[in-house]
Amino acid sequence: RDASGAIPVLELQWERISDDDWRLAGVNQRTLNKRMVDSTIVECRVFFAENEDCYLPGVVSALRTLVGPELALARRPLKDHVAQVVTGSRIGASGPVFHSGRLEMDNGLGPGVLLGSDLMAMDYIYGAALHEDDERLARLDNVPLDSALRSVVYHFNDLLHVIGNVRAQIENDITKGYFQLDASA
């Protein structure tokens, strides 16, 4: 952590040598700012908190209702795609990207078990950023803060991509006039 509270992150730069061959061209050290990650969590929670109007699985369900039964069936892969990233109030349902903790300690799942980045992200989000959940905070005791922040960023990357996919589908369906709105309702 530097004086501003930022956490260093390494950025790898790759160079294409041929169609299938790449080589490492450089390494830049970047910083991950806790305040920025926390702010992003607050802004994005409307997409993964079940009680929010913009809850992503709910948006896809509404989209499928608005396009009618035939196109709703064609939107099933979008529903499945969203479910790979957002399930319940959880992000990263597809599993961890990396693990962290200390093997000699109980990281909240039992001795010798490292925490997956999906669980770390949710523990940080609901334990530190949005609420003060003692059980979630206890699981993060043996996890470096930079690992917890990095886990949020990695899983939010998936979230932001799937939000973009849903938005593109909505824009497509509006442009093509697929929405079936009942004016009498």
Side-chain angles (χ1 to χ4, degrees):
R1 211 184 259 268
D2 65 16
S4 71
I7 295 174
V9 175
L10 293 178
E11 178 183 89
L12 304 178
Q13 297 172 338
W14 296 91
E15 180 179 300
R16 183 182 292 229
I17 298 170
S18 66
D19 285 341
D20 294 330
D21 291 328
W22 294 78
R23 74 178 171 128
L24 185 62
V27 178
N28 290 331
Q29 187 168 347
R30 299 184 36 129
T31 56
L32 196 56
N33 187 291
K34 179 185 180 320
R35 196 169 302 148
M36 186 178 352
V37 172
D38 289 354
S39 173
T40 304
I41 291 168
V42 171
E43 293 293 325
C44 289
R45 77 184 240 304
V46 298
F47 298 110
F48 63 86
E50 289 180 279
N51 59 338
E52 294 289 341
D53 291 340
C54 293
Y55 176 61
L56 213 50
V59 169
V60 173
S61 292
L63 167 67
R64 293 179 74 214
T65 300
L66 290 171
V67 296
E70 188 175 312
L71 289 174
L73 193 57
R75 302 300 176 269
R76 177 65 195 219
L78 181 63
K79 178 181 178 184
D80 295 341
H81 179 57
V82 168
Q84 290 177 347
V85 177
V86 181
T87 301
S89 287
R90 194 178 162 116
I91 303 168
S94 59
V97 175
F98 64 91
H99 292 80
S100 189
R102 291 180 49 199
L103 286 172
E104 72 275 9
M105 308 291 289
D106 182 349
N107 297 301
L109 301 176
V113 180
L114 297 177
L115 299 178
S117 60
D118 53 340
L119 181 59
M120 269 187 288
M122 298 317 299
D123 282 349
Y124 183 81
I125 288 167
Y126 288 116
L130 296 178
H131 307 291
E132 287 283 324
D133 183 319
D134 292 336
E135 183 179 331
R136 290 177 181 273
L137 287 172
R139 270 198 302 264
L140 294 175
D141 275 348
N142 298 322
V143 173
L145 181 60
D146 64 320
S147 290
L149 294 177
R150 203 170 332 126
S151 70
V152 172
V153 169
Y154 286 164
H155 290 284
F156 267 34
N157 179 59
D158 293 341
L159 176 66
L160 294 174
H161 276 91
V162 81
I163 289 167
N165 297 146
V166 170
R167 180 183 175 142
Q169 188 62 58
I170 291 170
E171 289 171 346
N172 175 73
D173 291 350
I174 289 171
T175 301
K176 292 188 175 175
Y178 291 158
F179 282 7
Q180 299 175 359
L181 302 174
D182 182 6
S184 65

